[in-house]
Amino acid sequence: MLTRAQISDLKRDFAATERGDDAPFPTEYPDSADGEPVYHVEVPPRTAEAPPAMLGEWDAGDRCGVPPPREWLLGNQFCRNFLSGLLAPGATGKTALRTLQYLALATGRPLTGQHVFKRSRVLLLSLEDDDSELQRRLAAARMHHEITPDDLRGWLFCATPKGIRFADMKDGGMVRGPLEAMLRQVITERRIDLVGLDPFVKLHGMDENSNTAINFVSELLVKLAIDMNIAVDVPHHTKKGLQTAGDADAGRGASAARDAGRLMYTLTRMADAEGETFGIPAEERRLYVRLDSSKVNIAPPSGEATWFKLVGVRLENGTPDYPQGDEVQTVVPWHPPRTWDGISGAQLNAALDEIEAGLPNGQRYSDKGPAKERAAWKVVQRHCPDRTEPQCRQIVNTWAQNGLVFNEEYDDPIDRKQRKGLRVCHGKRPS
C-alpha cells in the first residue's frame, strides 16, 4: 500500500521506462487502514513488442503471369519508374541535347533520331539558368527544328526555381526539401510523364562526396518516379580530367548517384582519332559529340555511339544596343561516314588487282605501318577517293584479318633483300 506521493513518483518513473510516455499508468484505487486513506497499485503486465511493419512478401507460385512491359518514353533514355542521367563536362552540349530530347517527347516527333514511344508531358526545371536563358535555349531548338507554339502548349512546362531544395540538411539530419512536395503537386495537376531536373548538384544541399547523403537524395528521386509513375531525369556534371566515352564513374562526387540511376549515359566530344577516321577537320571536332550508354542494365546496350552535331542558331532578337542579337546552340542527329558504305565491288576489286600486280619497280605493297611508298592503303584510296586514310587502312586490315590479302616473302629488286609483301587470295574476292 502506497501513499499518494509514492504513487505520483511511481507514475513518473513508470512513464519514463522503455514502455514510453504513452504507456498506461498503474491503476490505483482507495482503501483504508487505521483511518488513513491508502492506495493499492496494480501494474499492468508488460506487453509484447510492437509487431514489425509488413514485409509484403509474395509467393512466386501465385504470380506466374507476365507483367506488362516497361513503359519507355524515348529510346532507351527515359522510362517510367526509373531514374535517368547524363554525365558530361561543361560546354559539351549536355543541356542542348537534353532540351531537344524533352522537346521530342513533348511534340511526339523523333527530333533526335530516337524513337518516341509515346507523346509525353514534360516538366523541365532549370536550376542554373533563369527564365530568359531557358527561353533562349528553347527558342533556338524551336526555330531550327520548326516547332510551333501549338506543338508545345499543354505538353511542356518549365520552371527555374533557385534556392529551393529537393533534399537538404536540417539540425544535423537529412530531410526532404520543399521542392519535393512542390513537384508532386505539379506532377499531379499537370499529369506529367517526365521530370527533368538540371543539374543534379543544384538539386540538394548535401555533401556531394558523401555516399550516405547522395544515396538519400537518389532514393527520394527513385521514390518520386515510382510513386508518381513517371520518368525522372537528372543530368550531372563530370569530374575534372580526361573523359572516356561510356565511363559510368565519370560523374563528380559520390558514386551513389551512379548506382541509383538505371539509365545512365555519357556525352563526350569527338576525339582526334575519331575525327581523323571520319575526315572531320581538327577545328570542327568540338562540334561533334557522342552519346554512349554507361549503365543500361534493363535494356540491351546500343552497339555503337549515337552522334550529334552542335549547331548555332541566330535568334534574330537584336536591339539597337545589341544589333547582332543572340546565337544559341541546339543539336541535330549526325551519322559518321561508314567505312564500307557506298563502295562498289568493282572499286574494291580494282584496288585488289593493283595490290596483286605490285609496284611497277617490282616491289610489293605492304600493310605494315612504316611502309610509305609501298603502303597498300594508298592503293585503296586511289580507287575510293572519298575515304580517309584511317578508313582505307581499316579496309586493308579487314582484308588481312579475313585472309583476302596475305604476306608472302619475295626478293625485293630495289633493296636486294628478302622481304614480305602482299598477295591476294582470289577465292575470297568480293563478288
Side-chain angles (χ1 to χ4, degrees), residues 369-397:
K372 295 182 180 179
E373 296 302 323
R374 299 187 304 113
W377 71 263
K378 294 183 178 180
V379 178
V380 176
Q381 195 171 57
R382 279 197 289 272
H383 295 276
C384 306
D386 60 341
R387 295 306 191 263
T388 64
E389 176 183 339
Q391 288 175 319
C392 293
R393 287 184 181 276
Q394 183 179 347
I395 290 173
V396 174
N397 289 338

Side-chain angles (χ1 to χ4, degrees), residues 12-330:
R12 184 183 62 252
D13 294 341
F14 190 84
T17 66
E18 58 184 341
R19 297 183 62 177
D21 291 335
D22 294 331
F25 287 121
T27 301
E28 57 179 281
Y29 55 91
D31 200 348
S32 63
D34 300 329
E36 287 292 326
V38 295
Y39 294 84
H40 297 278
V41 177
E42 291 185 0
V43 179
R46 184 178 180 86
T47 59
E49 294 291 337
M54 298 299 292
L55 180 62
E57 75 281 358
W58 46 272
D59 190 323
D62 296 333
R63 293 195 183 182
C64 291
V66 179
R70 297 185 183 99
E71 297 184 63
W72 294 98
L73 301 181
L74 178 72
N76 284 338
Q77 302 284 300
F78 310 127
C79 185
R80 293 187 191 276
N81 298 163
F82 292 102
L83 179 63
S84 300
L86 179 62
L87 308 175
T92 305
K94 168 174 56 68
T95 301
L97 173 60
R98 273 313 199 228
T99 299
L100 191 63
Q101 288 176 323
Y102 299 155
L103 287 170
L105 276 177
T107 61
R109 293 164 49 189
L111 302 172
T112 61
Q114 297 160 313
H115 179 64
V116 179
F117 286 88
K118 181 182 178 181
R119 189 180 185 186
S120 304
R121 291 180 176 86
V122 177
L123 175 62
L124 167 58
L125 267 64
S126 177
L127 305 175
E128 284 186 326
D129 297 330
D130 59 15
D131 286 342
S132 295
E133 189 60 27
L134 180 54
Q135 286 180 283
R136 292 185 188 99
R137 293 183 182 277
L138 291 171
R142 285 193 298 102
M143 293 169 66
H144 189 82
H145 295 278
E146 299 180 347
I147 301 170
T148 69
D150 287 340
D151 292 331
L152 299 179
R153 191 168 288 112
W155 291 94
L156 178 63
F157 303 92
C158 304
T160 58
K162 300 294 179 290
I164 305 175
R165 307 297 189 195
F166 183 78
D168 215 336
M169 298 294 296
K170 183 178 180 181
D171 299 328
M174 298 177 291
V175 297
R176 289 179 172 88
L179 182 58
E180 197 256 3
M182 293 179 185
L183 286 173
R184 287 177 178 268
Q185 179 179 349
V186 175
I187 290 166
T188 301
E189 293 177 352
R190 300 289 192 177
R191 294 180 296 161
I192 297 300
D193 301 294
L194 177 140
V195 173
L197 305 167
D198 185 16
F200 180 71
V201 70
K202 296 289 186 179
L203 191 60
H204 59 86
M206 309 293 199
D207 176 4
E208 70 171 355
N209 295 308
S210 167
N211 271 310
T212 301
I214 299 306
N215 187 62
F216 177 80
V217 181
S218 300
E219 286 186 348
L220 283 182
L221 290 168
V222 173
K223 181 172 175 55
L224 178 70
I226 295 173
D227 288 351
M228 309 304 291
N229 192 33
I230 61 171
V232 176
D233 179 51
V234 189
H236 190 29
H237 295 304
T238 56
K239 54 193 174 187
K240 295 180 180 179
L242 181 66
Q243 305 302 318
T244 302
D247 180 10
D249 295 319
R252 59 183 274 183
S255 61
R258 172 205 67 195
D259 297 335
R262 304 281 282 186
L263 298 165
M264 305 300 293
Y265 285 78
T266 63
L267 191 70
T268 52
R269 291 190 182 93
M270 178 179 285
D272 287 338
E274 293 168 330
E276 292 174 2
T277 299
F278 300 147
I280 306 299
E283 63 275 12
E284 296 180 14
R285 292 169 192 166
R286 61 182 178 81
L287 301 176
Y288 296 84
V289 292
R290 58 177 290 171
L291 179 69
D292 291 89
S293 162
S294 65
K295 188 186 177 184
V296 178
N297 56 7
I298 60 174
S302 57
E304 58 184 15
T306 301
W307 287 90
F308 296 92
K309 182 179 180 181
L310 299 170
V311 295
V313 179
R314 305 291 310 182
L315 299 188
E316 305 298 337
N317 61 343
T319 65
D321 289 335
Y322 305 98
Q324 298 300 316
D326 294 314
E327 181 174 302
V328 179
Q329 285 184 331
T330 186

Side-chain angles (χ1 to χ4, degrees), residues 395-406:
I395 290 173
V396 174
N397 289 338
T398 301
W399 285 343
Q401 291 170 6
N402 296 339
L404 176 52
V405 297
F406 59 94

